[in-house]
Amino acid sequence: MNDQILIDVKNLSKAFDDVSVLENVDLQIRKGEVVAIIGPSGCGKSTFIRTLNQLEKVTGGNILLDGEDITSKSADINQIRRRVGMVFQHFNLFPHLTILQNLTLAPVKLKIMSQKEAQDKASQLLKRVGLYDKKDSYPDSLSGGQKQRIAIARALVMNPEVMLFDEPTSALDPEMVGEVLSLMKELADEGMTMVVVTHEMRFAREVADRVLFFDEKGIKEQGTPEEIFETPKSDRLKEFLSRVL
Ligand code: ADP
Ligand code: MG
């Protein structure tokens, strides 16, 4: 981790119709930092992380990505999605495409790579996540853990500057959680900037540089894993931890 601010969230607000979900959220994420987001369900964690690649538009405030305002009307959405990779709870693989095609589709369609370049890059990543032998299979034939490793590889094809994970292990059978978390830990160790919404408190504790506790409308408490888990300050966080630990 260095001192360069990669993501700068300023006074962000988000409402759906007139229901306010996030209010006045400020957050700076440094390059190489691993930020875990914890908090009760329905408090806006997904909404927040989705604003970071503009899957959700903000209602107020700004988000700067390496100094560039991705919330401005003139921002190039394809470029944002390329720079900010995302992994979802339910994998979101394309069921009618092979694994290799799942990885090569976006870079070829967006004309970032030739078919050959995309296939080389995809093959390299599939080897890396240990699933090269599945390249011609379809997602349905894979286990949940394998699907999620493919989803991570697919996001990495674009060489993103930051990776967002929204509860990446919540839909997995318990025996498959480990293989996904260990791949995420490898990415973190290699210096990837990561924002991870998670119920895996052990992962948050062991891998995150910083933990954010979200509660109604935004960040209620934040700190190092030690601070959040050993010496929580607010009653809301204490109560939350007593339920999940
Ligand atoms: P979390 O991820 O912390 O469980 P969410 O960000 O999914 O919470 O949801 C926060 C609140 O915003 C919830 O009350 C949810 O119902 C609401 N919400 C989320 N997405 C939408 C949407 N597209 N339209 C309307 N309300 C939404
Ligand atoms: Mg959510």
Side-chain angles (χ1 to χ4, degrees), residues 20-163:
S20 166
V21 175
L22 299 167
E23 287 178 9
N24 313 111
V25 178
D26 285 296
L27 177 66
Q28 295 190 322
I29 299 174
R30 282 165 292 170
K31 197 166 191 299
E33 192 174 12
V34 178
V35 175
I37 298 180
I38 62 172
S41 114
C43 72
K45 304 180 300 297
S46 293
T47 303
F48 176 72
I49 201 173
R50 289 162 62 87
T51 66
L52 300 180
N53 74 347
Q54 291 295 286
L55 278 175
E56 294 289 356
K57 297 281 174 212
V58 302
T59 322
N62 307 89
I63 301 170
L64 307 187
L65 175 62
D66 206 5
E68 190 183 318
D69 189 352
I70 62 169
T71 57
S72 94
K73 281 199 174 64
S74 59
D76 176 347
I77 199 77
N78 285 332
Q79 204 203 21
I80 296 167
R81 302 276 161 79
R82 172 177 161 187
R83 295 173 67 188
V84 184
M86 181 136 188
V87 173
F88 303 88
Q89 183 176 350
H90 293 290
F91 328 121
N92 297 14
L93 297 175
F94 306 115
H96 58 292
L97 298 180
T98 66
I99 298 308
L100 190 67
Q101 289 166 341
N102 262 275
L103 269 70
T104 57
L105 180 74
V108 172
K109 203 168 173 182
L110 295 172
K111 298 193 165 62
I112 295 160
M113 298 176 198
S114 68
Q115 186 69 34
K116 169 82 169 69
E117 284 167 339
Q119 279 180 356
D120 288 349
K121 175 84 181 167
S123 300
Q124 179 198 324
L125 282 163
L126 288 174
K127 284 174 191 158
R128 184 202 158 150
V129 303
L131 292 168
Y132 182 69
D133 61 328
K134 302 289 185 193
K135 69 181 168 57
D136 298 317
S137 305
Y138 286 84
D140 268 355
S141 66
L142 270 53
S143 72
Q146 290 173 331
K147 282 183 201 166
Q148 199 57 301
R149 281 149 64 203
I150 295 295
I152 293 171
R154 183 177 62 175
L156 292 172
V157 165
M158 307 289 255
N159 291 318
E161 292 160 56
V162 48
M163 286 279 282

Side-chain angles (χ1 to χ4, degrees), residues 199 201 239-245:
H199 290 307
M201 296 301 143
E239 186 234 336
F240 175 76
L241 292 175
S242 75
R243 276 189 282 126
V244 298
L245 287 179

Side-chain angles (χ1 to χ4, degrees), residues 150-197:
I150 295 295
I152 293 171
R154 183 177 62 175
L156 292 172
V157 165
M158 307 289 255
N159 291 318
E161 292 160 56
V162 48
M163 286 279 282
L164 311 176
F165 296 85
D166 191 357
E167 298 195 21
T169 60
S170 295
L172 300 179
D173 291 335
E175 71 270 24
M176 291 170 186
V177 169
E179 67 194 66
V180 172
L181 291 182
S182 64
L183 175 57
M184 290 168 63
K185 184 168 187 321
E186 276 176 37
L187 288 178
D189 290 343
E190 287 165 16
M192 178 62 80
T193 310
M194 294 168 46
V195 186
V196 185
V197 176

